[in-house]
Amino acid sequence: MPELINTTTSNLNIKNIQLLTKKYQSPFWVYDANIIRNKIKLLKQFDIIRFAQKACSNTHILKLMKKNNLKVDAVSLGEIERALFAGFKKNSNEIIFTADLFDEETLSKIIEYNIPVNAGSLDMLKQLGSISSGHHVWLRINPKFGYGHSKKTNTGGENSKHGIWDPRLALPIIKKYKLKLIGLHMHIGSGVNYEHLKKVCHAMVESVVQINKKIKFISAGGGLPIPYKFDEKPININKYFTLWDEARKKISQFLNKPIQLEIEPGRFLVAESGILVSQVRTIKKMGNKNFVLVDAGFNDLMRPTMYGSYHHISILPKDNREIEVNKTIDTVIGGPLCESGDIFTQEEGGNIQTRKLPSIKIGDYLIFHDTGAYGASMSSNYNTRPLIQEILIENNTFKVIRKRQTIKELLSLEE
Ligand SMILES: *Cc1c(COP(=O)(O)O)cnc(C)c1O
């Protein structure tokens, strides 16, 4: 039954969530480590799995990734420091910095830590090369077309700020500063369409031929989708791998040397491992519309407001009453923020939608599913709301992996 939470297949079951709601103040995030490990296994054909940590950058999640032999991508100095804190090594390719620009502080730390750079602009190469000759670099290439689940996640084409348009222009800079070019990278938005993917793989081969340098790695980037809705199918990893593997073989043949194939997923590894638990605090009618307001807002879970993303919502009744799943009400679900966009049931563009949900009572818990990716990591302090707890379930034990921030901590920055 779609409106009920899963009772059997994972640690994110009714019994565990009930226990957690007794112990912790809502709202809070919960992750199941087993789900992450199972997703990692699905990618074992790739030579290197590099976790795009921006999807879920908690250091305990990063440690779990490290334990499972993953490498990590960082897109800011903060993410580099997180990776180091979690045990990833400097002076190696365990951490790669991907960006379209450097700020000065980040640039100097990257040189100090000797972290390879996946450059999305020619200026980055110049700025790095002029003070760090010999530094290992990748080129992030814009293949001149894009794809994504929303305009905001499309990462290729003329309307994307990401990547280098003509990688041939990078060559004189690389030569001048004796940078070491080790890999080519293409991250083409979120979502997969296999016909489109073929084009991306072809563009990768073309770029290698164009540049004709003895690189070691190619990266397929991230963007592997997960089924957020019941009627969506999971991605066929074999098909995905096969297309990239064919590109790798062509490249290997052309350069006459082995090439390692990297993949760089964020969402795929963590989205399904996480839920957001919130409590219903107000139920009210606005004309004919039924509003249910919970204690979590878009400062906690940003995706519906930002992209019109769909998250499945289920109910955990506070009083253990039987939920009447066949009798549903068209319901709008919103949060506490002083902002009309604080609605979890909306389309891209902001049109309010309703969800068919069983009768809900004050005090019930609403669970937002598949929020392990771009959930906690996108949260903000808007409306002066402290960041909420993150809890990891591992071997049937609950571990608070991030404490709830206090208002005092927030205010202390302004002392
Ligand atoms: C965001 C990002 C990813 C991960 O994207 P997902 O859609 O979460 O898989 C991978 N690589 C780069 C460079 C990114 O910016």
Side-chain angles (χ1 to χ4, degrees), residues 52 54-55 73 98 140 185 187 190 221-224 264-267 374:
K54 73 176 192 279
D73 184 59
T98 297
R140 174 174 181 173
H185 175 284
H187 169 68
S190 295
L224 284 75
E264 195 178 62
R267 177 188 325 278
Y374 307 104

Side-chain angles (χ1 to χ4, degrees), residues 5-20 30-38 272-273 275 392-398:
I5 55 177
N6 200 326
T7 50
T8 51
T9 57
S10 84
N11 286 317
L12 303 176
N13 55 42
I14 292 181
K15 196 176 122 251
N16 278 342
I17 297 167
Q18 264 170 346
L19 277 172
L20 289 170
V30 190
Y31 308 99
D32 178 357
N34 281 340
I35 295 178
I36 298 176
R37 279 190 285 263
N38 289 337
E272 294 141 297
S273 77
I275 56 171
L392 180 65
I393 308 181
E394 174 130 55
N395 310 322
N396 267 318
T397 59
F398 304 140

Side-chain angles (χ1 to χ4, degrees), residues 349-379:
N351 284 333
I352 301 300
Q353 290 187 312
T354 56
R355 196 71 67 85
K356 289 199 182 310
L357 289 168
S359 163
I360 293 173
K361 287 189 180 169
I362 303 286
D364 286 351
Y365 291 94
L366 291 195
I367 318 291
F368 295 87
H369 292 263
D370 305 318
T371 50
Y374 307 104
S377 66
M378 272 188 145
S379 299

